[in-house]
Amino acid sequence: MSCERAFNPALEQVPVVVLSNNDGCIISRSAEAKALGIKMGEPLFQVKALLREQGVQVFSSNYALYGDMSQRVMNYLAAVAPAVEIYSIDECFLDLHGLQRWQAPDLTCYGRQVQAALLRRTHIPTCVGLGPTKTLAKAANRLAKKLPAFGGVLSLVDESIRRELLEQLPVEDVWGIGPRYGGKLHALGIRTAGALSRVSESWAREQLGGVVGARLVRELQGLPCQGLAPSEDGTLARQRIACTRTFGQPLTGYPDLLRAVAHFTARAAEKLRQQGSAAHLLTVFLCPGRFGADAQPSRAATLTLPAASNDTGQLLALVRAAVRKLWRAGTVYHKAGVLLAGLEPAGRQQLGLFDDPALAARRARLLREIDALNQRFGRHKVAFATMLAPVGSATPRWQTRHERRSPAYTTSWDELWTVPAAG
DNA sequence: TCTGGGGTCCTAGGACCC
DNA sequence: TCTGGGGTCCTAGGACCC
């Protein structure tokens, strides 16, 4: 929502929401939209009337824009902190050990400077939470968002402040307490983060899933149990890579389904190569409807590759076999996906007895070139034949709906932001 | 009556996160 | 009519090994 606002001043101070893929659910809301009672994750069709009545501005998600804006924010943070861990598209942990200029009581000033600089550079508003553990930093961030008096920056480094403020944080707002544990804790009389920080380790182990609960409580007490996940560029190497989509319109035909799954495979393989991995396991699944009368369980097939691969062509050969096995005539499919697991660093695969190392090197080079072309000219401009529909056919029906998407202001020459002339 | 004591690997399921 | 798409970690249990 903040990315939309950054390029469209007319969205300031009015209710704005952003939709999930396929324009299905609401996944981001401005404060004004929250105040109208619109909930996170709510299906669009259930609130359509309310949105119209209240004049809420509605956007399809625009990941080209959000991803690029996220990178700008993360790049700045990486420049001002000794180490960073990019936790999600809109969150980042900074390790401040070794930060020379700023010491404990001043860390809030540091937080304010970072917050102000981000707003100036990217127009993205942020909240900063500081603490001796990740869990306390998250708690501080949550409180900074909830209590306007702090101006979006709060430190829980000081113990007496911590004791006081953790009492004001509902236990279900603690990082790692979801709906299940939240309900359980309330039933057991633990209602705030402060109360949770005072339970014994053995009690935490018993009630909150073993070692996970024990770590959570220790972190609340200020004893670090999770370090920064190390990686050079701040991104985490994934252990699994998936690409799954609900289709724009349901599919029944085998060729349509195969083309859709082939696209997901190509995308998953790109992500795999991007992080320098190769996969041993490939899962393909096809889902009929999830809702209504003709809802059926999804069918999946997992294949083991003889040698780890990140070669789209090799993966497609297996995917083709899997789809042929899973597909049933007459079933209406709403969603499909590809999952890659058993990842290892690429290029370390044992060559089979009859594999030709020179050929493998040429394949790798070919894939690098294809990735570079698609990076420059647009996703899947160069594609494998399995992905393609006959020449001249209409837009594939499986493609995601995004009827209210804003322009890719920062990543496409054709959609650059234009500044209205003064006067 | 009496029935060892270690391991590993994999999968499914449950909890959580954004 | 219409319901997203990614991820993580842990535990228990089964199959198998010596």
Side-chain angles (χ1 to χ4, degrees):
Chain A
M1 194 286 301
S2 294
C3 293
E4 301 295 345
R5 268 191 181 162
F7 291 89
N8 188 347
L11 301 177
E12 296 291 343
Q13 270 133 51
V14 300
V16 184
V17 299
V18 175
L19 305 176
S20 66
N21 256 333
N22 239 4
D23 294 348
C25 297
I26 287 165
I27 56 162
S28 181
R29 306 156 296 157
S30 71
E32 297 81 3
K34 290 176 193 172
L36 292 173
I38 299 164
K39 289 193 236 25
M40 178 68 178
E42 208 161 12
L44 173 65
F45 75 94
Q46 286 177 5
V47 287
K48 236 172 181 167
L50 175 71
L51 298 180
R52 213 179 5 248
E53 280 163 30
Q54 299 290 337
V56 178
Q57 298 290 311
V58 180
F59 290 89
S60 302
S61 42
N62 180 349
Y63 285 105
L65 178 64
Y66 310 154
D68 184 63
M69 294 299 282
S70 174
Q71 242 180 58
R72 293 170 190 224
V73 169
M74 302 307 178
N75 286 346
Y76 178 73
L77 293 174
V80 297
V84 301
E85 175 193 324
I86 297 170
Y87 180 62
S88 73
I89 198 164
D90 70 346
E91 274 186 84
C92 189
F93 287 104
L94 312 188
D95 184 351
L96 303 184
H97 286 110
L99 197 66
Q100 295 300 321
R101 274 180 58 206
W102 304 95
Q103 294 306 315
D106 281 349
L107 282 176
T108 313
C109 298
Y110 168 80
R112 286 190 202 294
Q113 287 196 359
V114 169
Q115 184 197 42
L118 283 177
L119 191 62
R120 200 167 58 235
R121 287 162 174 260
T122 64
H123 282 241
I124 298 294
T126 51
C127 283
V128 180
L130 297 119
T133 66
K134 280 181 159 180
T135 304
L136 283 171
K138 288 279 287 179
N141 182 282
R142 180 64 71 106
L143 285 162
K145 275 186 194 163
K146 277 182 114 135
L147 309 172
F150 293 107
V153 180
L154 173 61
S155 170
L156 290 180
V157 172
D158 181 272
E159 257 189 89
S160 60
I161 294 174
R162 195 151 87 215
R163 253 197 303 279
E164 192 189 320
L165 286 177
L166 285 186
E167 295 306 323
Q168 297 185 39
L169 190 68
V171 74
E172 62 272 22
D173 286 357
V174 172
W175 191 41
I177 301 297
R180 207 80 191 205
Y181 289 152
K184 186 172 178 181
L185 288 170
H186 272 271
L188 291 165
I190 307 287
R191 299 199 167 77
T192 67
L196 185 57
S197 76
R198 291 186 294 270
V199 307
S200 74
E201 187 181 322
S202 59
W203 192 92
R205 267 178 199 275
E206 254 166 59
Q207 305 297 331
L208 303 176
V211 67
V212 180
R215 286 204 288 244
L216 193 157
V217 169
R218 286 179 78 95
E219 284 242 322
L220 269 185
Q221 294 165 346
L223 305 163
C225 298
Q226 318 178 55
L228 216 62
S231 81
E232 304 244 323
D233 59 356
T235 59
L236 296 170
R238 300 294 177 201
Q239 299 170 24
R240 267 193 285 271
I241 285 172
C243 184
T244 71
R245 288 284 178 282
T246 300
F247 306 131
Q249 291 164 42
L251 301 182
T252 52
Y254 175 79
D256 278 347
L257 220 48
L258 178 61
R259 279 192 284 270
V261 174
H263 269 89
F264 305 158
T265 307
R267 183 68 195 120
E270 281 167 9
K271 294 189 204 173
L272 201 57
R273 294 193 290 271
Q274 216 170 42
Q275 75 162 34
S277 299
H280 269 292
L281 287 169
L282 177 143
T283 300
V284 177
F285 67 83
L286 306 181
C287 300
R290 275 197 302 153
F291 303 93
D294 52 19
Q296 278 184 56
S298 70
R299 292 161 48 83
T302 299
L303 303 169
T304 305
L305 282 79
S309 171
N310 59 20
D311 184 331
T312 307
Q314 275 177 17
L315 297 172
L316 280 176
L318 297 173
V319 161
R320 195 183 267 281
V323 174
R324 196 175 300 132
K325 195 175 116 189
L326 294 173
W327 179 79
R328 291 280 179 276
T331 302
V332 181
Y333 294 99
H334 288 245
K335 176 178 174 172
V338 172
L339 269 116
L340 300 173
L343 305 193
E344 64 174 52
R348 296 210 193 140
Q349 295 83 300
Q350 287 266 299
L351 281 173
L353 202 52
F354 303 105
D355 291 343
D356 175 359
L359 183 65
R362 274 166 54 201
R363 271 310 276 197
R365 166 131 191 256
L366 172 66
L367 291 163
R368 269 202 306 280
E369 295 297 343
I370 292 176
D371 286 340
L373 286 169
N374 286 333
Q375 169 73 34
R376 180 166 171 197
F377 294 107
R379 180 160 296 169
H380 299 163
K381 275 285 190 304
V382 179
F384 285 74
T386 311
M387 301 158 66
L388 301 177
V391 173
S393 48
T395 308
R397 287 204 306 274
W398 55 268
Q399 281 200 352
T400 303
R401 284 191 303 261
H402 40 77
E403 277 158 22
R404 312 183 211 196
R405 186 145 81 188
S406 53
Y409 295 114
T410 60
T411 54
S412 166
W413 287 115
D414 300 331
E415 301 176 36
L416 283 185
W417 194 41
T418 53
V419 181

